[in-house]
Amino acid sequence: MTDTPGDDRTLRGDATPLPDSHHVDVASAKDQFNELQRVLSIRSQQGPAEDIEQSSDSSNGFDDLEKGQKRGEGFDLRAYLSSSNEANRQAGLAHKHVGVTWEDLQVEGVGGAGHKIYIRTFGQDVLSFWFTPFRFAYAALQAAVPALRPQPPLTTILHPSSGLLKPGEMCLVLGCPGSGCTTFLKTIANERKDYARVSGDVRYAGIDAHEMAKYYKGEVVYNEEDDRHIATLTVAQTVNFALSLKTPGPKGRLPGMSRKEFDAAVRDTLLRMLNITHTANTYVGDEFVRGVSGGERKRVSIAEMMATRAHVLCFDNSTRGLDASTALDFIKALRVMTDVLGQTTFATLYQAGEGIYELFDKVLVLDHGRQVYFGPPSEARAYFEGLGYKSLPRQSTPDYLTGCTDPNERQFAPGRSEADVPSTPEALEQAYLQSRFAAAMHDDLEKYKKKMEVDKSDQEHFRQAVIADKKRGVSKKSPYTLGFTGQVRALAIRQFQMRLQDRFQLITSYSLSFILALVIGAAYYNLQLTSQGAFTRGSVIFAGLLTCTLDTFGEMPVQMLGRPILKKQTNYALYRPAAVAIANTLSDIPFSAVRIFIYNLIIYFMSNLSRSAGGFFTYHIFIYMAFLAMQGFFRTLGIMCSNFDTAYRLATFFIPNMIQYAGYMIPVFQMKRWLFWIYYINPVAYAWVGCMENEFMRIAFSCDGSSIVPRNPPGVNKYPDGLGPNQVCTLYGSMPGQDIVSGRNYVDLGFGLNVSDLWRRNFLVLIGFFFLFQLTQVLLIEYFPKYDGGSSVTIYAPEDAETKKLNAELQERKAARKGKASESEKLEKLEEAGETEGTVTKFYGKPFTWEQVNYHVPVAGGTKRLLHDVYGYVKPGTMTALMGASGAGKTTCLDVLAQRKNIGVVSGTLLLDGKPLGLDFARNTAYAEQMDVHEGSATVREAMRFSAYLRQPAHISREEKDKYVEDMIEVLELQDLADALIFSLGVEARKRLTIGVELASRPSLLFLDEPTSGLDGQSAWNLVRFLRKLADNGQAILCTIHQPSAMLIQTFDKLLLLERGGETVYFGDIGPDCYILRDYFARHGADCPPNVNPAEFMLDAIGAGLTPRIGDRDWKDHWLDSAEYRDVLSEIEKIKQGTASDNNEQPKKLTLYATPFWNQLRWVVTRNNIKLWRSPDYVFSRLFVHAFISLFVSLSFLQLGHGARDLQYRVFGIFWATILPAIVMGQLEPMWILNRRIFIREASSRIYSPYVFAIGQLIGETPYSVLCAIVYWVLMVYPMGFGDGAAGVGGTFFQLLVIIFTELFGVSLGQFIGAISPSMQIAPLFNPFIILVLSTFCGVTLPYPTMATYWRWLYQLSPYTRIMGAMLSTELHGLSITCKANEFIQFSPPSGQTCGNWANEFVAGFGGYIDNPNDTTACRYCQYSVGDQFFLPLNIRYENRWRDVWIVFAFAVFNFFATIVASRFLRYAKR
């Protein structure tokens, strides 16, 4: 398999093969296949025995397959290759051979030449909000008059391109970043939604693109560069899921083979072929969930794609993150599969070695979207040399070809120049179109098209094979292999596995639900059937229902997190998007049903609701149906909105109305006429009404205590103790002279509820809501999908005077340098940066040594060693490469040496300049990590300046730092992106920025983790050459590297080579042409052939890939016995002695951070302010929500009068202010956690302290919090008509102070919860509990006098108590109350007495007034005469209001300090 397959091995299609002949040269494919089997079975000797079966005799693998036997022993690709072998033909199974032709394919995207898209800011959003009605009107006008529609400027990404690839052929697509390689692959794979216009004709075996997308979507697939997976599924589960949806039906499998056998065979085959069998039971993981390594995750993506059994495959840089050996093995396996199965394969590969390049049949070279070569790989180099480009024999062909299209890198042959060599994209395209290769391609294309028109056998066989694959009952027109119910089943199983494996989330949600139920149950413990238990029964039902239904708010962000995976898998045609919506609901029911049953059980029986089986189960069904309906509602919002902030805005449009119009706060018959309809479209209302009717139809109350009027005040015995003939019961539904009140009458008169509606209306409507929201989810996700990260548009920050000048200078220097010999010129700026660079390097340039480094990590059942006795050193002015197979511990070793590990045990001696590592080690060294984590809303220049300001010593002036940053921007070739926002940068630009941010600190020692991963060969070469320049200027560099070319590896001075288990294989010089390294391996029996890349060869030699190691002795033992090993030890001793002798310099004061505290705070706050200003969705959403809630509450309570019920509404209006912290917390916690990710990365370099981080976050939020508070206050105080009491207008301004402090309390509490939460999923789980406890025990829903004594400490502890106390006393103090006619309580005095005579002691004791004191019948008693009579019994005092408001402020300050402490000690960053 190591040799390159000749042309005769692949399909050429000169004549259509007869049905009984093979499409491939079986003999050669068989040889290759058997070699692959032999090679792959080696892994079974290295992996765990239980995971991998030993490979038995594989020589008969192919023959057995032809006999149609079932999957058997060892490693075989039989099941996977079943569609083109003889056995399938004998079984009557059609093959799928799909040749691809494209003619004049042109792709255009939005954005013209020079057209820049600028970031929207908070100020712009506020302004545009006021123009919304005009925008809507204009949009409607545009819809009606097409001529008015704006035509967005378009730019051509891919210029007209033509070609063909026959079945069994592989095409390598090459080009510099931005040349259109990804666009070409996506268009070939029929993924066209990201582009404005796609023209030209693409056909698959003669089938046009439209028909292919409609009926055969899953047969043409695209494997994107980024690996997107569900982190909490294992590798085996991920592959099993894809297989379960793509297993062919009985007609598409070999006779006698079951689905399970087929799936197991294919899964095992894929895992072994990609050498990831040992990871089968490991989580896939991501940046935050520990799982497989980056290279292994890339292979999981490949396995998932191959499981689709598609026949046109497009791989976008699928070897990213794989070491050279594994990458070659993967492409070899791809070659065999393409040959044997007759697949059609397109691939873009960065840094492809010569061995990989030779495996392809065609190569397509793109330059700025223009096709500049398409033809045989073997003739490509000669073609470009023939055009006049310099021959560079040591450069790999792919790097050479892309280099010819790069103006900065291309070199012309001696005596040639731009004048006589086609060097612009247009000129290169013209040269190609006039070449024999273009003529041959057009000739082949015409012949193939004619053949496809005349001979449709391939097309017919393809259609038959696709139909045969379908499971019984699946429509022939459906692009899916499995029917809708089968898809739902597979998805439900996957979702169930995810939920089950996310133990932390499961335990947290169950625990919180249990605690919430206990809190509510205990707050309303054992309610009695007295008049006091009547209103509180409604309260407990409302509290239980709301807590349960609003808990589903957390569904919104979850819907958005899974979008990239949904997009990828629906493009693979694994399932319809609609199946996800239904599967989510079904898989969730087992978990939520148990959780809510326990929750309801606790609340129901603790609070002593009607204790009967019928009562409880009816209550449970209503609460659970409301939960499911609201879950569907929030999921619908999540699916409908493009981002969380928009969804959040929309949700807060509904939530206050659902609470306000549930029928509890305002009975339906008292709602404003223009708003009462909200009640009838509110699912929460039907659930609450159902629960109320269920409860009150079963009970009756005794009328006693405070419900009797008149009654005895303390020290008076004038009135009967029970209900006498001249007293009345104030409960709704009471009958004169009767002290028992029927529950039915109570809800009828008090709330307008009819108990006979329980099942016939309320339950049916709830079920209707449940199905309605299921339907909305299905329709929205199916027909209006919202996918993130569609188009890769770069977004810029507007230029100001300073940046405009700087950019002009950068462009001038770039233009002046253009066309000159690039190499020396480009990096001159580094030297120009003045002697400072050199002096800084000399000043800090110190050798770094490590001896006997071991690293152990805790694992289940003990510890595991990842590094074993690693020795080495880095000297100033040298570059050391750290290499090894995927999973050998390269990144681990770098983390340990850079002091970035915070779990596990590190032992060994690490010395900088012969001394143990000091406080300033982390900030004096730079570590460019593999994951490019940056503040996304900053520009490239801002990010580098931030690093320079805080990491370079304080004595260096700001001007000097700014100049250094400009030089770095130029050196890294980021001139055109200096004002681009980081979140919109591509992979390569972001990688360069990561290095730039680290270099901005002028480090003495530079660590880099795979800096070339994800870059094309040319960019990788530029980057490494740039690092070389740094090293020549005195920088000490240690970096891990993947897939280095032969030229790249020579750039390094030394190599540290590791094998699995963290064992050292080699540490020493590399030498020109790697002769020292090759000599070392040759001495131990591994001779490197002259035409093979030494970097790839040595990995193969030590058994890093699939090939067996050379020799029968472990290479680590060779190393320990070698003279080189002894030289390393003696060199380390020399370095230590050398540094010990010149330790006479003055010891300088060591500080943890480079700059003082106030300087750190200044720049962190500045960055935060810019971030928030550029995050209009986040800030404006909060402002909008505050305005909306305040406005809608005010509309319900518009211009309140002085009646008794108006008094109650004033209280409710004020109580809404306590929802502000909940609003702020829900939005702020995810933001805090995202910011903490960036802080963790920056804190490891000691850029600024955790105290600065926490303080900076609060300062950034404060101005917006004050603005939100003012808007809320304006829309609350004036529409409701506040300020009529004794406090007057001044009192309303006091309310503003309370609301500002409430807002700050919410911000500080949200940040504290963010600081103690490990993830975005966990943080929101705390919110319902905290808000419920604070609001339940603040003395409003549960009045202080009725509160159980053991809860009163919570009343004192709740800041809401102080908020309500300060606001209520200010508003109601001195407010005169005049009851309206229907608010009086009427009773008759004993005969002969006036109303005043009979009730005067009662009125004197309890307050209120008699409206007609001189009458002798129908006395009219009003409960309050002044607002103070309402709040005094509730333990609220007007004179305490200033005390209360400062207590609220003290709570905010306490939260703030707690957040600082939590930021210092809780990072949740395990590495």
Side-chain angles (χ1 to χ4, degrees), residues 392-624:
L392 299 167
R394 292 299 307 174
Q395 198 171 11
S396 68
T397 309
D399 288 356
Y400 177 73
L401 298 181
T402 48
C404 290
T405 66
D406 185 342
N408 294 321
E409 301 309 321
R410 61 167 65 116
Q411 296 179 37
F412 301 110
R416 306 290 294 271
S417 70
E418 275 187 13
D420 61 349
V421 176
S423 51
T424 63
E426 294 80 1
L428 279 166
E429 183 184 44
Q430 279 308 310
Y432 164 69
L433 291 174
Q434 290 159 15
S435 71
R436 63 186 175 89
F437 298 107
M441 179 271 293
H442 282 296
D443 188 43
D444 281 355
L445 185 59
E446 287 308 314
K447 282 182 187 169
Y448 192 78
K449 276 168 62 186
K450 281 178 186 160
K451 185 173 82 74
M452 285 291 111
E453 285 166 20
V454 177
D455 182 346
K456 302 216 173 207
S457 61
D458 267 6
Q459 195 182 120
E460 293 310 316
H461 285 153
F462 169 71
R463 292 181 195 272
Q464 286 168 22
V466 172
I467 290 169
D469 275 355
K470 295 187 192 301
K471 210 180 168 201
R472 287 189 194 94
V474 180
S475 161
K476 288 182 181 179
K477 291 184 176 180
S478 166
Y480 303 101
T481 308
L482 212 56
F484 189 71
T485 50
Q487 292 170 23
V488 170
R489 182 173 174 272
L491 279 158
I493 291 167
R494 182 186 76 175
Q495 296 299 106
F496 190 82
Q497 285 172 335
M498 276 169 60
R499 294 294 301 273
L500 207 57
Q501 283 166 200
D502 196 351
R503 295 285 163 79
F504 190 79
Q505 207 271 341
L506 211 57
I507 291 165
T508 314
S509 63
Y510 266 79
S511 306
L512 278 169
S513 190
F514 181 73
I515 293 165
L516 284 172
L518 284 177
V519 169
I520 297 171
Y524 297 96
Y525 182 66
N526 205 17
L527 299 175
Q528 296 304 306
L529 291 174
T530 61
S531 52
Q532 276 200 342
F535 190 73
T536 42
R537 265 182 159 67
S539 296
V540 71
I541 289 170
F542 192 60
L545 170 68
L546 265 194
T547 306
C548 182
T549 51
L550 295 186
D551 182 39
T552 58
F553 184 80
E555 293 290 340
M556 281 197 315
V558 176
Q559 296 306 307
M560 293 168 198
L561 290 174
R563 277 179 186 166
I565 296 164
L566 174 71
K567 181 183 181 182
K568 176 181 78 170
Q569 294 183 337
T570 49
N571 283 336
Y572 286 175
L574 294 180
Y575 50 79
R576 296 189 79 95
V580 176
I582 296 170
N584 275 347
T585 305
L586 294 178
S587 62
D588 196 53
I589 284 174
F591 297 100
S592 60
V594 175
R595 182 165 65 85
I596 286 162
F597 180 78
I598 296 166
Y599 170 85
N600 285 337
L601 196 72
I602 294 168
I603 292 177
Y604 194 87
F605 289 103
M606 273 186 79
S607 57
N608 191 27
L609 296 179
S610 174
R611 290 187 175 170
S612 65
F616 169 71
F617 281 106
T618 305
Y619 170 84
H620 172 62
I621 286 168
F622 269 88
I623 296 273
Y624 189 55

Side-chain angles (χ1 to χ4, degrees), residues 1096-1146:
E1096 292 176 12
F1097 173 78
M1098 67 186 182
L1099 288 173
D1100 285 342
I1102 65 171
L1106 298 174
T1107 46
R1109 73 161 184 248
I1110 295 175
D1112 54 1
R1113 193 172 176 212
D1114 199 313
W1115 282 91
K1116 75 168 191 292
D1117 299 327
H1118 283 306
W1119 169 247
L1120 293 172
D1121 294 344
S1122 69
E1124 284 84 353
Y1125 171 61
R1126 294 189 289 280
D1127 290 345
V1128 170
L1129 298 184
S1130 64
E1131 185 62 31
I1132 292 173
E1133 284 306 315
K1134 261 191 224 165
I1135 292 170
K1136 281 156 67 175
Q1137 285 163 13
T1139 51
S1141 62
D1142 56 57
N1143 271 345
N1144 49 11
E1145 61 180 65
Q1146 281 293 97

